[in-house]
Amino acid sequence: MAILELADLTRLLQESAGADESIDLSGDVLDSSFFDLGYDSLALLQVVGVIQREYGVTLPDDAVAAETPREFLALVNGVPATETAVA
């Protein structure tokens, strides 16, 4: 799997769950909580589904428990791609 970067994650969050216009996701948000960024576990669940389909990985159930983008990216980028990856 290609490395998922913060820009990819914020794009997926915005596409999957929308964006709070009062929050600037283009800034340094790696260590901000998803709650402070306006996203809950349902939003992360939607992003997990997209990542699993688009990147062909199976993420652990606790991926939605990540509290910050940094934790989520570390978890996602630590999972090896499967043979079903869609390029």
Side-chain angles (χ1 to χ4, degrees):
M1 176 180 130
I3 300 280
L4 187 72
E5 305 221 0
L6 180 59
D8 302 316
L9 176 58
T10 56
R11 177 185 53 81
L12 291 171
L13 283 166
Q14 291 171 331
E15 290 173 359
S16 298
D20 183 338
E21 292 182 16
S22 67
I23 298 172
D24 180 16
L25 291 177
S26 65
D28 183 19
V29 297
L30 269 175
D31 295 311
S32 300
S33 73
F34 282 114
F35 178 79
D36 290 343
L37 297 174
Y39 297 104
D40 59 11
S41 59
L42 181 57
L44 285 180
L45 187 60
Q46 290 175 316
V47 170
V48 165
V50 170
I51 290 170
Q52 291 184 138
R53 282 189 308 277
E54 290 185 9
Y55 291 90
V57 297
T58 301
L59 298 175
D61 293 338
D62 63 348
V64 296
E67 293 186 21
T68 66
R70 182 182 307 275
E71 289 177 13
F72 187 82
L73 290 171
L75 195 142
V76 170
N77 289 327
V79 174
T82 62
E83 293 179 19
T84 60
V86 177

